[in-house]
Amino acid sequence: MSESNKVKLSGGPDKSATWIWLENGQLKIEYYDYSEPAQRFFGNDIAYIITVTDMDRLYSTIIKDETSILSWIDQYFQSYFGIKKWLDENGIDYGIEREIWA
């Protein structure tokens, strides 16, 4: 996946970033935290990555497809936390991975 295919959302806590992209037909949402608390509690930067596994339900809920999903998310959400809450509220299945860089 090239960096140019990722979309960086505009909000979130200070010293963090949310990126969204499609990979192998699935939506990926990455929350990257490089703040002091992340350094203190985890010893380094940390990232959480959501992989939406129920893309059919996602697309039918918002009436979008793979050509318009990223721009829709960018328009309606500012960060990982809003997207995760929305997925939970709409019963859309996903998995979460945690990555810590040492």
Side-chain angles (χ1 to χ4, degrees):
M1 162 111 276
S2 73
E3 288 292 319
S4 64
N5 294 336
K6 289 185 175 185
V7 175
K8 183 179 180 186
L9 300 185
S10 62
D14 190 36
K15 295 191 177 182
S16 72
T18 298
W19 295 90
I20 58 173
W21 70 96
L22 291 172
E23 183 176 297
N24 299 324
Q26 295 180 315
L27 176 64
K28 300 278 191 165
I29 304 120
E30 177 184 53
Y31 173 70
Y32 177 64
D33 186 344
Y34 51 97
S35 67
E36 287 254 345
Q39 297 288 322
R40 188 171 49 250
F41 295 121
F42 299 106
N44 216 326
D45 301 347
I46 187 166
Y48 292 93
I49 301 171
I50 290 176
T51 300
V52 175
T53 55
D54 192 356
M55 293 301 291
D56 290 336
R57 183 174 179 107
L58 174 64
Y59 289 141
S60 67
T61 300
I62 59 172
I63 312 172
K64 300 290 178 191
D65 62 20
E66 64 186 33
T67 63
S68 57
I69 186 74
L70 296 181
S71 62
W72 182 84
I73 291 171
D74 187 30
Q75 181 179 1
Y76 286 97
F77 298 99
Q78 293 185 340
S79 74
Y80 170 96
F81 301 103
I83 300 168
K84 183 180 180 305
K85 180 180 177 192
W86 184 86
L87 291 169
D88 290 338
E89 289 172 348
N90 287 279
I92 298 171
D93 294 333
Y94 60 86
I96 299 178
E97 302 169 60
R98 185 175 78 180
E99 295 183 4
I100 300 174
W101 292 276

